[in-house]
Amino acid sequence: MERSSKFVQRILSLCAEICDACGAECHSHDQQHCRDCAEACFKCAEECRMLVP
């Protein structure tokens, strides 16, 4: 991002996609640590999408 790489948009989009997939998997489990992980993953995905130029 600092150097305006032409790959930034794709990297951020991929990061968001991965975080969404991880969050969905973790959300499907009942343990609290899985729910916490899901919340963190969904937040990360949201942040990545906000940074897409």
Side-chain angles (χ1 to χ4, degrees):
M1 290 176 63
E2 183 75 22
R3 295 182 183 180
S4 300
S5 171
K6 65 181 181 178
F7 301 108
V8 170
Q9 184 172 351
R10 289 191 281 174
I11 290 169
L12 290 170
S13 294
L14 180 59
C15 180
E17 183 180 343
I18 291 168
C19 288
D20 279 337
C22 181
E25 177 60 32
C26 289
H27 188 70
S28 71
H29 301 282
D30 291 330
Q31 295 87 353
Q32 185 59 46
H33 66 272
C34 292
R35 297 293 176 147
D36 294 341
C37 180
E39 183 180 331
C41 288
F42 291 141
K43 183 176 181 181
C44 180
E46 182 180 322
E47 292 292 326
C48 286
R49 285 190 186 91
M50 288 175 37
L51 292 172
V52 173

mmCIF file of all heavy atoms in Angstrom:
data_model
loop_
_atom_site.group_PDB
_atom_site.id
_atom_site.type_symbol
_atom_site.label_atom_id
_atom_site.label_comp_id
_atom_site.label_asym_id
_atom_site.label_seq_id
_atom_site.Cartn_x
_atom_site.Cartn_y
_atom_site.Cartn_z
ATOM 1 N N MET A 1 0.824 -1.178 0.000
ATOM 2 C CA MET A 1 0.000 0.000 0.000
ATOM 3 C C MET A 1 0.870 1.244 0.000
ATOM 4 O O MET A 1 0.546 2.211 -0.679
ATOM 5 C CB MET A 1 -0.931 0.003 1.206
ATOM 6 C CG MET A 1 -2.016 -1.046 1.112
ATOM 7 S SD MET A 1 -3.071 -1.154 2.563
ATOM 8 C CE MET A 1 -3.826 0.444 2.566
ATOM 9 N N GLU A 2 1.924 1.199 0.766
ATOM 10 C CA GLU A 2 2.823 2.342 0.875
ATOM 11 C C GLU A 2 3.411 2.724 -0.481
ATOM 12 O O GLU A 2 3.592 3.894 -0.782
ATOM 13 C CB GLU A 2 3.954 2.015 1.863
ATOM 14 C CG GLU A 2 4.915 3.136 2.121
ATOM 15 C CD GLU A 2 4.347 4.223 3.018
ATOM 16 O OE1 GLU A 2 3.399 3.955 3.781
ATOM 17 O OE2 GLU A 2 4.863 5.343 2.943
ATOM 18 N N ARG A 3 3.688 1.739 -1.296
ATOM 19 C CA ARG A 3 4.317 1.993 -2.597
ATOM 20 C C ARG A 3 3.321 1.954 -3.750
ATOM 21 O O ARG A 3 3.698 1.889 -4.912
ATOM 22 C CB ARG A 3 5.403 0.961 -2.847
ATOM 23 C CG ARG A 3 6.536 1.073 -1.861
ATOM 24 C CD ARG A 3 7.597 0.079 -2.174
ATOM 25 N NE ARG A 3 8.657 0.155 -1.176
ATOM 26 C CZ ARG A 3 9.720 -0.588 -1.187
ATOM 27 N NH1 ARG A 3 9.893 -1.478 -2.145
ATOM 28 N NH2 ARG A 3 10.631 -0.465 -0.248
ATOM 29 N N SER A 4 2.052 1.940 -3.427
ATOM 30 C CA SER A 4 0.986 1.908 -4.437
ATOM 31 C C SER A 4 1.132 0.726 -5.383
ATOM 32 O O SER A 4 0.991 0.851 -6.600
ATOM 33 C CB SER A 4 0.962 3.217 -5.221
ATOM 34 O OG SER A 4 0.737 4.303 -4.357
ATOM 35 N N SER A 5 1.381 -0.429 -4.809
ATOM 36 C CA SER A 5 1.520 -1.653 -5.600
ATOM 37 C C SER A 5 0.231 -1.937 -6.369
ATOM 38 O O SER A 5 -0.873 -1.733 -5.859
ATOM 39 C CB SER A 5 1.837 -2.838 -4.689
ATOM 40 O OG SER A 5 1.766 -4.047 -5.410
ATOM 41 N N LYS A 6 0.394 -2.439 -7.557
ATOM 42 C CA LYS A 6 -0.779 -2.792 -8.353
ATOM 43 C C LYS A 6 -1.497 -4.021 -7.796
ATOM 44 O O LYS A 6 -2.591 -4.356 -8.233
ATOM 45 C CB LYS A 6 -0.379 -3.037 -9.809
ATOM 46 C CG LYS A 6 0.523 -4.233 -10.010
ATOM 47 C CD LYS A 6 0.897 -4.390 -11.468
ATOM 48 C CE LYS A 6 1.791 -5.607 -11.672
ATOM 49 N NZ LYS A 6 2.127 -5.786 -13.082
ATOM 50 N N PHE A 7 -0.911 -4.673 -6.807
ATOM 51 C CA PHE A 7 -1.494 -5.879 -6.227
ATOM 52 C C PHE A 7 -2.305 -5.616 -4.960
ATOM 53 O O PHE A 7 -2.950 -6.521 -4.434
ATOM 54 C CB PHE A 7 -0.395 -6.900 -5.897
ATOM 55 C CG PHE A 7 0.397 -7.308 -7.096
ATOM 56 C CD1 PHE A 7 1.703 -6.874 -7.253
ATOM 57 C CD2 PHE A 7 -0.153 -8.112 -8.079
ATOM 58 C CE1 PHE A 7 2.437 -7.235 -8.366
ATOM 59 C CE2 PHE A 7 0.571 -8.479 -9.186
ATOM 60 C CZ PHE A 7 1.869 -8.039 -9.344
ATOM 61 N N VAL A 8 -2.298 -4.397 -4.468
ATOM 62 C CA VAL A 8 -2.946 -4.080 -3.198
ATOM 63 C C VAL A 8 -4.414 -4.474 -3.197
ATOM 64 O O VAL A 8 -4.888 -5.123 -2.263
ATOM 65 C CB VAL A 8 -2.783 -2.585 -2.846
ATOM 66 C CG1 VAL A 8 -3.658 -2.201 -1.669
ATOM 67 C CG2 VAL A 8 -1.341 -2.269 -2.549
ATOM 68 N N GLN A 9 -5.145 -4.096 -4.208
ATOM 69 C CA GLN A 9 -6.577 -4.384 -4.240
ATOM 70 C C GLN A 9 -6.831 -5.887 -4.198
ATOM 71 O O GLN A 9 -7.696 -6.358 -3.463
ATOM 72 C CB GLN A 9 -7.226 -3.775 -5.478
ATOM 73 C CG GLN A 9 -8.727 -3.967 -5.503
ATOM 74 C CD GLN A 9 -9.385 -3.205 -6.631
ATOM 75 O OE1 GLN A 9 -8.752 -2.401 -7.296
ATOM 76 N NE2 GLN A 9 -10.654 -3.457 -6.835
ATOM 77 N N ARG A 10 -6.071 -6.648 -4.972
ATOM 78 C CA ARG A 10 -6.260 -8.100 -4.984
ATOM 79 C C ARG A 10 -5.881 -8.735 -3.648
ATOM 80 O O ARG A 10 -6.551 -9.653 -3.180
ATOM 81 C CB ARG A 10 -5.468 -8.742 -6.114
ATOM 82 C CG ARG A 10 -6.076 -8.424 -7.481
ATOM 83 C CD ARG A 10 -5.480 -9.246 -8.570
ATOM 84 N NE ARG A 10 -4.175 -8.671 -8.931
ATOM 85 C CZ ARG A 10 -3.331 -9.233 -9.782
ATOM 86 N NH1 ARG A 10 -3.615 -10.373 -10.350
ATOM 87 N NH2 ARG A 10 -2.189 -8.642 -10.071
ATOM 88 N N ILE A 11 -4.804 -8.248 -3.034
ATOM 89 C CA ILE A 11 -4.377 -8.796 -1.748
ATOM 90 C C ILE A 11 -5.434 -8.519 -0.685
ATOM 91 O O ILE A 11 -5.805 -9.412 0.091
ATOM 92 C CB ILE A 11 -3.010 -8.217 -1.331
ATOM 93 C CG1 ILE A 11 -1.915 -8.763 -2.252
ATOM 94 C CG2 ILE A 11 -2.706 -8.530 0.125
ATOM 95 C CD1 ILE A 11 -0.571 -8.062 -2.102
ATOM 96 N N LEU A 12 -5.929 -7.298 -0.629
ATOM 97 C CA LEU A 12 -6.949 -6.958 0.357
ATOM 98 C C LEU A 12 -8.241 -7.729 0.120
ATOM 99 O O LEU A 12 -8.880 -8.177 1.079
ATOM 100 C CB LEU A 12 -7.220 -5.454 0.344
ATOM 101 C CG LEU A 12 -6.098 -4.583 0.897
ATOM 102 C CD1 LEU A 12 -6.383 -3.112 0.613
ATOM 103 C CD2 LEU A 12 -5.896 -4.823 2.379
ATOM 104 N N SER A 13 -8.618 -7.898 -1.123
ATOM 105 C CA SER A 13 -9.823 -8.665 -1.437
ATOM 106 C C SER A 13 -9.665 -10.131 -1.034
ATOM 107 O O SER A 13 -10.587 -10.733 -0.480
ATOM 108 C CB SER A 13 -10.153 -8.563 -2.920
ATOM 109 O OG SER A 13 -10.497 -7.238 -3.254
ATOM 110 N N LEU A 14 -8.499 -10.685 -1.299
ATOM 111 C CA LEU A 14 -8.235 -12.067 -0.920
ATOM 112 C C LEU A 14 -8.218 -12.213 0.599
ATOM 113 O O LEU A 14 -8.775 -13.164 1.154
ATOM 114 C CB LEU A 14 -6.919 -12.557 -1.525
ATOM 115 C CG LEU A 14 -6.527 -13.995 -1.198
ATOM 116 C CD1 LEU A 14 -7.591 -14.981 -1.672
ATOM 117 C CD2 LEU A 14 -5.177 -14.320 -1.821
ATOM 118 N N CYS A 15 -7.612 -11.271 1.277
ATOM 119 C CA CYS A 15 -7.588 -11.286 2.740
ATOM 120 C C CYS A 15 -9.013 -11.278 3.290
ATOM 121 O O CYS A 15 -9.339 -12.057 4.193
ATOM 122 C CB CYS A 15 -6.802 -10.095 3.268
ATOM 123 S SG CYS A 15 -6.721 -10.023 5.066
ATOM 124 N N ALA A 16 -9.860 -10.434 2.758
ATOM 125 C CA ALA A 16 -11.252 -10.365 3.203
ATOM 126 C C ALA A 16 -11.970 -11.686 2.944
ATOM 127 O O ALA A 16 -12.718 -12.174 3.806
ATOM 128 C CB ALA A 16 -11.974 -9.218 2.499
ATOM 129 N N GLU A 17 -11.735 -12.277 1.797
ATOM 130 C CA GLU A 17 -12.368 -13.553 1.459
ATOM 131 C C GLU A 17 -11.920 -14.660 2.421
ATOM 132 O O GLU A 17 -12.737 -15.456 2.901
ATOM 133 C CB GLU A 17 -12.015 -13.934 0.024
ATOM 134 C CG GLU A 17 -12.681 -15.194 -0.458
ATOM 135 C CD GLU A 17 -12.309 -15.536 -1.893
ATOM 136 O OE1 GLU A 17 -11.799 -14.676 -2.623
ATOM 137 O OE2 GLU A 17 -12.536 -16.700 -2.273
ATOM 138 N N ILE A 18 -10.636 -14.694 2.707
ATOM 139 C CA ILE A 18 -10.101 -15.703 3.634
ATOM 140 C C ILE A 18 -10.669 -15.490 5.036
ATOM 141 O O ILE A 18 -11.092 -16.452 5.697
ATOM 142 C CB ILE A 18 -8.562 -15.659 3.648
ATOM 143 C CG1 ILE A 18 -8.024 -16.159 2.304
ATOM 144 C CG2 ILE A 18 -8.005 -16.476 4.809
ATOM 145 C CD1 ILE A 18 -6.537 -15.885 2.098
ATOM 146 N N CYS A 19 -10.700 -14.254 5.479
ATOM 147 C CA CYS A 19 -11.227 -13.958 6.813
ATOM 148 C C CYS A 19 -12.709 -14.312 6.910
ATOM 149 O O CYS A 19 -13.163 -14.828 7.938
ATOM 150 C CB CYS A 19 -10.995 -12.500 7.174
ATOM 151 S SG CYS A 19 -9.263 -12.123 7.519
ATOM 152 N N ASP A 20 -13.476 -14.049 5.873
ATOM 153 C CA ASP A 20 -14.891 -14.426 5.863
ATOM 154 C C ASP A 20 -15.060 -15.940 5.960
ATOM 155 O O ASP A 20 -15.926 -16.440 6.693
ATOM 156 C CB ASP A 20 -15.580 -13.927 4.588
ATOM 157 C CG ASP A 20 -15.976 -12.472 4.661
ATOM 158 O OD1 ASP A 20 -16.138 -11.938 5.778
ATOM 159 O OD2 ASP A 20 -16.134 -11.862 3.586
ATOM 160 N N ALA A 21 -14.239 -16.688 5.223
ATOM 161 C CA ALA A 21 -14.323 -18.153 5.256
ATOM 162 C C ALA A 21 -13.954 -18.687 6.638
ATOM 163 O O ALA A 21 -14.630 -19.572 7.175
ATOM 164 C CB ALA A 21 -13.414 -18.757 4.192
ATOM 165 N N CYS A 22 -12.904 -18.139 7.213
ATOM 166 C CA CYS A 22 -12.496 -18.559 8.552
ATOM 167 C C CYS A 22 -13.583 -18.211 9.564
ATOM 168 O O CYS A 22 -13.939 -19.033 10.409
ATOM 169 C CB CYS A 22 -11.171 -17.890 8.930
ATOM 170 S SG CYS A 22 -10.565 -18.358 10.559
ATOM 171 N N GLY A 23 -14.114 -17.016 9.459
ATOM 172 C CA GLY A 23 -15.172 -16.588 10.375
ATOM 173 C C GLY A 23 -16.410 -17.462 10.275
ATOM 174 O O GLY A 23 -17.014 -17.814 11.288
ATOM 175 N N ALA A 24 -16.780 -17.821 9.064
ATOM 176 C CA ALA A 24 -17.953 -18.674 8.876
ATOM 177 C C ALA A 24 -17.733 -20.048 9.503
ATOM 178 O O ALA A 24 -18.640 -20.600 10.145
ATOM 179 C CB ALA A 24 -18.260 -18.811 7.388
ATOM 180 N N GLU A 25 -16.550 -20.595 9.315
ATOM 181 C CA GLU A 25 -16.244 -21.902 9.909
ATOM 182 C C GLU A 25 -16.261 -21.819 11.429
ATOM 183 O O GLU A 25 -16.875 -22.648 12.097
ATOM 184 C CB GLU A 25 -14.894 -22.414 9.415
ATOM 185 C CG GLU A 25 -14.464 -23.721 10.040
ATOM 186 C CD GLU A 25 -15.406 -24.883 9.792
ATOM 187 O OE1 GLU A 25 -16.045 -24.931 8.719
ATOM 188 O OE2 GLU A 25 -15.506 -25.764 10.674
ATOM 189 N N CYS A 26 -15.579 -20.833 11.973
ATOM 190 C CA CYS A 26 -15.519 -20.700 13.432
ATOM 191 C C CYS A 26 -16.904 -20.430 14.022
ATOM 192 O O CYS A 26 -17.234 -20.925 15.098
ATOM 193 C CB CYS A 26 -14.544 -19.604 13.831
ATOM 194 S SG CYS A 26 -12.826 -20.054 13.535
ATOM 195 N N HIS A 27 -17.697 -19.669 13.312
ATOM 196 C CA HIS A 27 -19.043 -19.324 13.787
ATOM 197 C C HIS A 27 -19.941 -20.561 13.881
ATOM 198 O O HIS A 27 -20.917 -20.573 14.635
ATOM 199 C CB HIS A 27 -19.672 -18.270 12.874
ATOM 200 C CG HIS A 27 -20.953 -17.717 13.383
ATOM 201 N ND1 HIS A 27 -21.026 -16.892 14.481
ATOM 202 C CD2 HIS A 27 -22.226 -17.884 12.954
ATOM 203 C CE1 HIS A 27 -22.287 -16.571 14.701
ATOM 204 N NE2 HIS A 27 -23.033 -17.159 13.788
ATOM 205 N N SER A 28 -19.605 -21.593 13.148
ATOM 206 C CA SER A 28 -20.434 -22.800 13.154
ATOM 207 C C SER A 28 -20.184 -23.681 14.375
ATOM 208 O O SER A 28 -20.858 -24.691 14.559
ATOM 209 C CB SER A 28 -20.207 -23.605 11.869
ATOM 210 O OG SER A 28 -18.911 -24.201 11.869
ATOM 211 N N HIS A 29 -19.245 -23.300 15.223
ATOM 212 C CA HIS A 29 -18.931 -24.069 16.430
ATOM 213 C C HIS A 29 -19.459 -23.334 17.663
ATOM 214 O O HIS A 29 -19.554 -22.113 17.669
ATOM 215 C CB HIS A 29 -17.420 -24.286 16.546
ATOM 216 C CG HIS A 29 -16.847 -25.018 15.376
ATOM 217 N ND1 HIS A 29 -16.965 -26.374 15.223
ATOM 218 C CD2 HIS A 29 -16.165 -24.572 14.292
ATOM 219 C CE1 HIS A 29 -16.367 -26.745 14.098
ATOM 220 N NE2 HIS A 29 -15.883 -25.660 13.507
ATOM 221 N N ASP A 30 -19.772 -24.091 18.694
ATOM 222 C CA ASP A 30 -20.395 -23.513 19.883
ATOM 223 C C ASP A 30 -19.420 -23.002 20.938
ATOM 224 O O ASP A 30 -19.817 -22.250 21.823
ATOM 225 C CB ASP A 30 -21.320 -24.538 20.550
ATOM 226 C CG ASP A 30 -22.551 -24.824 19.702
ATOM 227 O OD1 ASP A 30 -22.993 -23.916 18.971
ATOM 228 O OD2 ASP A 30 -23.068 -25.951 19.789
ATOM 229 N N GLN A 31 -18.165 -23.395 20.866
ATOM 230 C CA GLN A 31 -17.208 -22.975 21.883
ATOM 231 C C GLN A 31 -16.976 -21.460 21.819
ATOM 232 O O GLN A 31 -16.955 -20.869 20.748
ATOM 233 C CB GLN A 31 -15.858 -23.696 21.705
ATOM 234 C CG GLN A 31 -15.929 -25.182 21.918
ATOM 235 C CD GLN A 31 -16.302 -25.928 20.649
ATOM 236 O OE1 GLN A 31 -16.641 -25.353 19.634
ATOM 237 N NE2 GLN A 31 -16.257 -27.248 20.723
ATOM 238 N N GLN A 32 -16.767 -20.866 22.982
ATOM 239 C CA GLN A 32 -16.592 -19.419 23.052
ATOM 240 C C GLN A 32 -15.360 -18.960 22.277
ATOM 241 O O GLN A 32 -15.399 -17.930 21.604
ATOM 242 C CB GLN A 32 -16.502 -18.944 24.505
ATOM 243 C CG GLN A 32 -16.437 -17.436 24.639
ATOM 244 C CD GLN A 32 -17.645 -16.735 24.037
ATOM 245 O OE1 GLN A 32 -18.783 -17.132 24.264
ATOM 246 N NE2 GLN A 32 -17.402 -15.696 23.254
ATOM 247 N N HIS A 33 -14.276 -19.724 22.349
ATOM 248 C CA HIS A 33 -13.074 -19.291 21.637
ATOM 249 C C HIS A 33 -13.305 -19.304 20.123
ATOM 250 O O HIS A 33 -12.733 -18.494 19.409
ATOM 251 C CB HIS A 33 -11.845 -20.139 22.020
ATOM 252 C CG HIS A 33 -11.904 -21.558 21.607
ATOM 253 N ND1 HIS A 33 -12.475 -22.539 22.390
ATOM 254 C CD2 HIS A 33 -11.464 -22.173 20.490
ATOM 255 C CE1 HIS A 33 -12.380 -23.701 21.769
ATOM 256 N NE2 HIS A 33 -11.783 -23.505 20.606
ATOM 257 N N CYS A 34 -14.175 -20.165 19.646
ATOM 258 C CA CYS A 34 -14.515 -20.175 18.215
ATOM 259 C C CYS A 34 -15.367 -18.961 17.863
ATOM 260 O O CYS A 34 -15.175 -18.338 16.811
ATOM 261 C CB CYS A 34 -15.244 -21.460 17.848
ATOM 262 S SG CYS A 34 -14.206 -22.940 17.935
ATOM 263 N N ARG A 35 -16.300 -18.624 18.738
ATOM 264 C CA ARG A 35 -17.133 -17.431 18.521
ATOM 265 C C ARG A 35 -16.266 -16.168 18.531
ATOM 266 O O ARG A 35 -16.457 -15.268 17.716
ATOM 267 C CB ARG A 35 -18.227 -17.325 19.590
ATOM 268 C CG ARG A 35 -19.209 -18.464 19.587
ATOM 269 C CD ARG A 35 -20.034 -18.423 18.331
ATOM 270 N NE ARG A 35 -20.921 -19.568 18.280
ATOM 271 C CZ ARG A 35 -22.106 -19.546 17.740
ATOM 272 N NH1 ARG A 35 -22.554 -18.447 17.183
ATOM 273 N NH2 ARG A 35 -22.836 -20.636 17.704
ATOM 274 N N ASP A 36 -15.289 -16.134 19.436
ATOM 275 C CA ASP A 36 -14.378 -14.989 19.495
ATOM 276 C C ASP A 36 -13.545 -14.890 18.222
ATOM 277 O O ASP A 36 -13.325 -13.801 17.687
ATOM 278 C CB ASP A 36 -13.447 -15.093 20.706
ATOM 279 C CG ASP A 36 -14.173 -14.975 22.028
ATOM 280 O OD1 ASP A 36 -15.321 -14.470 22.055
ATOM 281 O OD2 ASP A 36 -13.583 -15.395 23.045
ATOM 282 N N CYS A 37 -13.093 -16.042 17.737
ATOM 283 C CA CYS A 37 -12.313 -16.075 16.499
ATOM 284 C C CYS A 37 -13.161 -15.593 15.326
ATOM 285 O O CYS A 37 -12.698 -14.805 14.501
ATOM 286 C CB CYS A 37 -11.803 -17.497 16.237
ATOM 287 S SG CYS A 37 -10.822 -17.648 14.729
ATOM 288 N N ALA A 38 -14.394 -16.050 15.250
ATOM 289 C CA ALA A 38 -15.286 -15.634 14.174
ATOM 290 C C ALA A 38 -15.469 -14.122 14.174
ATOM 291 O O ALA A 38 -15.393 -13.475 13.117
ATOM 292 C CB ALA A 38 -16.640 -16.332 14.305
ATOM 293 N N GLU A 39 -15.681 -13.557 15.348
ATOM 294 C CA GLU A 39 -15.859 -12.110 15.453
ATOM 295 C C GLU A 39 -14.617 -11.369 14.958
ATOM 296 O O GLU A 39 -14.720 -10.390 14.215
ATOM 297 C CB GLU A 39 -16.151 -11.735 16.907
ATOM 298 C CG GLU A 39 -16.425 -10.276 17.116
ATOM 299 C CD GLU A 39 -16.717 -9.940 18.566
ATOM 300 O OE1 GLU A 39 -17.240 -10.803 19.293
ATOM 301 O OE2 GLU A 39 -16.413 -8.802 18.958
ATOM 302 N N ALA A 40 -13.447 -11.851 15.353
ATOM 303 C CA ALA A 40 -12.198 -11.223 14.919
ATOM 304 C C ALA A 40 -12.016 -11.353 13.409
ATOM 305 O O ALA A 40 -11.588 -10.397 12.745
ATOM 306 C CB ALA A 40 -11.012 -11.844 15.649
ATOM 307 N N CYS A 41 -12.354 -12.509 12.870
ATOM 308 C CA CYS A 41 -12.213 -12.718 11.423
ATOM 309 C C CYS A 41 -13.147 -11.796 10.636
ATOM 310 O O CYS A 41 -12.737 -11.196 9.641
ATOM 311 C CB CYS A 41 -12.490 -14.174 11.071
ATOM 312 S SG CYS A 41 -11.191 -15.305 11.580
ATOM 313 N N PHE A 42 -14.389 -11.688 11.075
ATOM 314 C CA PHE A 42 -15.336 -10.826 10.372
ATOM 315 C C PHE A 42 -14.915 -9.357 10.463
ATOM 316 O O PHE A 42 -15.066 -8.605 9.502
ATOM 317 C CB PHE A 42 -16.754 -11.021 10.909
ATOM 318 C CG PHE A 42 -17.344 -12.364 10.580
ATOM 319 C CD1 PHE A 42 -18.114 -13.047 11.507
ATOM 320 C CD2 PHE A 42 -17.139 -12.964 9.347
ATOM 321 C CE1 PHE A 42 -18.676 -14.274 11.212
ATOM 322 C CE2 PHE A 42 -17.684 -14.198 9.032
ATOM 323 C CZ PHE A 42 -18.459 -14.858 9.968
ATOM 324 N N LYS A 43 -14.361 -8.968 11.605
ATOM 325 C CA LYS A 43 -13.874 -7.594 11.748
ATOM 326 C C LYS A 43 -12.694 -7.355 10.809
ATOM 327 O O LYS A 43 -12.595 -6.305 10.165
ATOM 328 C CB LYS A 43 -13.472 -7.315 13.187
ATOM 329 C CG LYS A 43 -13.022 -5.904 13.411
ATOM 330 C CD LYS A 43 -12.726 -5.602 14.860
ATOM 331 C CE LYS A 43 -12.293 -4.142 14.978
ATOM 332 N NZ LYS A 43 -11.972 -3.784 16.340
ATOM 333 N N CYS A 44 -11.793 -8.313 10.723
ATOM 334 C CA CYS A 44 -10.644 -8.198 9.826
ATOM 335 C C CYS A 44 -11.115 -8.071 8.375
ATOM 336 O O CYS A 44 -10.612 -7.235 7.624
ATOM 337 C CB CYS A 44 -9.725 -9.405 9.986
ATOM 338 S SG CYS A 44 -8.269 -9.352 8.918
ATOM 339 N N ALA A 45 -12.086 -8.884 7.979
ATOM 340 C CA ALA A 45 -12.616 -8.828 6.616
ATOM 341 C C ALA A 45 -13.190 -7.448 6.324
ATOM 342 O O ALA A 45 -12.957 -6.875 5.252
ATOM 343 C CB ALA A 45 -13.683 -9.903 6.417
ATOM 344 N N GLU A 46 -13.914 -6.906 7.281
ATOM 345 C CA GLU A 46 -14.504 -5.579 7.112
ATOM 346 C C GLU A 46 -13.417 -4.515 6.940
ATOM 347 O O GLU A 46 -13.517 -3.643 6.078
ATOM 348 C CB GLU A 46 -15.368 -5.259 8.333
ATOM 349 C CG GLU A 46 -16.082 -3.944 8.261
ATOM 350 C CD GLU A 46 -16.927 -3.695 9.498
ATOM 351 O OE1 GLU A 46 -17.536 -4.647 10.014
ATOM 352 O OE2 GLU A 46 -16.958 -2.538 9.951
ATOM 353 N N GLU A 47 -12.392 -4.600 7.763
ATOM 354 C CA GLU A 47 -11.283 -3.636 7.679
ATOM 355 C C GLU A 47 -10.582 -3.741 6.327
ATOM 356 O O GLU A 47 -10.223 -2.727 5.721
ATOM 357 C CB GLU A 47 -10.291 -3.855 8.812
ATOM 358 C CG GLU A 47 -10.842 -3.516 10.184
ATOM 359 C CD GLU A 47 -11.109 -2.032 10.376
ATOM 360 O OE1 GLU A 47 -10.356 -1.201 9.818
ATOM 361 O OE2 GLU A 47 -12.066 -1.706 11.088
ATOM 362 N N CYS A 48 -10.362 -4.951 5.859
ATOM 363 C CA CYS A 48 -9.706 -5.133 4.557
ATOM 364 C C CYS A 48 -10.529 -4.496 3.446
ATOM 365 O O CYS A 48 -10.001 -3.828 2.571
ATOM 366 C CB CYS A 48 -9.502 -6.626 4.260
ATOM 367 S SG CYS A 48 -8.184 -7.383 5.234
ATOM 368 N N ARG A 49 -11.841 -4.687 3.495
ATOM 369 C CA ARG A 49 -12.719 -4.115 2.468
ATOM 370 C C ARG A 49 -12.710 -2.582 2.516
ATOM 371 O O ARG A 49 -12.809 -1.928 1.489
ATOM 372 C CB ARG A 49 -14.126 -4.641 2.616
ATOM 373 C CG ARG A 49 -14.258 -6.057 2.140
ATOM 374 C CD ARG A 49 -15.704 -6.512 2.045
ATOM 375 N NE ARG A 49 -15.720 -7.917 1.717
ATOM 376 C CZ ARG A 49 -15.740 -8.903 2.601
ATOM 377 N NH1 ARG A 49 -15.788 -8.639 3.891
ATOM 378 N NH2 ARG A 49 -15.711 -10.164 2.214
ATOM 379 N N MET A 50 -12.584 -2.042 3.703
ATOM 380 C CA MET A 50 -12.545 -0.570 3.828
ATOM 381 C C MET A 50 -11.274 0.005 3.237
ATOM 382 O O MET A 50 -11.255 1.158 2.831
ATOM 383 C CB MET A 50 -12.692 -0.168 5.294
ATOM 384 C CG MET A 50 -14.093 -0.382 5.829
ATOM 385 S SD MET A 50 -14.323 -0.065 7.609
ATOM 386 C CE MET A 50 -13.294 1.319 7.934
ATOM 387 N N LEU A 51 -10.212 -0.787 3.179
ATOM 388 C CA LEU A 51 -8.934 -0.309 2.659
ATOM 389 C C LEU A 51 -8.782 -0.471 1.151
ATOM 390 O O LEU A 51 -7.846 0.072 0.567
ATOM 391 C CB LEU A 51 -7.785 -1.057 3.350
ATOM 392 C CG LEU A 51 -7.591 -0.754 4.827
ATOM 393 C CD1 LEU A 51 -6.548 -1.703 5.414
ATOM 394 C CD2 LEU A 51 -7.171 0.685 5.033
ATOM 395 N N VAL A 52 -9.675 -1.221 0.530
ATOM 396 C CA VAL A 52 -9.577 -1.416 -0.926
ATOM 397 C C VAL A 52 -9.712 -0.067 -1.599
ATOM 398 O O VAL A 52 -10.701 0.653 -1.373
ATOM 399 C CB VAL A 52 -10.656 -2.394 -1.428
ATOM 400 C CG1 VAL A 52 -10.658 -2.463 -2.950
ATOM 401 C CG2 VAL A 52 -10.425 -3.784 -0.848
ATOM 402 N N PRO A 53 -8.714 0.277 -2.401
ATOM 403 C CA PRO A 53 -8.750 1.602 -3.049
ATOM 404 C C PRO A 53 -9.853 1.719 -4.089
ATOM 405 O O PRO A 53 -10.355 0.800 -4.617
ATOM 406 C CB PRO A 53 -7.384 1.716 -3.722
ATOM 407 C CG PRO A 53 -6.746 0.390 -3.659
ATOM 408 C CD PRO A 53 -7.543 -0.457 -2.712
#
